[in-house]
Amino acid sequence: MKKCFVMLYPGFCNFEIAALTEILAFEEDWQVSTVGADAKLYAGEDGLQVMAQQAFSQVSPLDADLLILPGIDDHHFM
């Protein structure tokens, strides 16, 4: 099984990754997991909250076949 990690952080841009994550959800050989600095809820720029299933400290990026890094629209956030 192939692994995909989706990185979450405050203000992440969900629409940039939605089509890809939906395609992977229908593929039987892909496991999609969400990761963040902490295993907690992260609110995207659209206000939708997504739970990070694991913290960065719990995974290794080398274990993933694909890393999805969504953008951010709020340049004042950082």
Side-chain angles (χ1 to χ4, degrees):
M1 174 147 312
K2 297 176 185 175
K3 286 186 179 182
C4 171
F5 293 145
V6 178
M7 187 178 90
L8 301 177
Y9 48 87
F12 73 95
C13 189
N14 188 53
F15 85 88
E16 291 184 352
I17 63 170
L20 177 55
T21 55
E22 183 174 354
I23 290 168
L24 294 176
F26 288 104
E27 296 292 326
E28 292 183 18
D29 59 337
W30 280 96
Q31 175 189 4
V32 179
S33 301
T34 53
V35 296
D38 298 300
K40 66 176 191 175
L41 285 173
Y42 288 90
E45 68 182 13
D46 56 5
L48 293 176
Q49 294 188 1
V50 179
M51 174 66 84
Q53 296 165 296
Q54 298 178 14
F56 294 142
S57 62
Q58 297 174 299
V59 299
S60 169
L62 298 176
D63 292 339
D65 297 290
L66 175 65
L67 295 172
I68 300 177
L69 309 172
I72 188 168
D73 188 39
D74 185 0
H75 62 281
H76 296 291
F77 177 75
M78 299 298 196

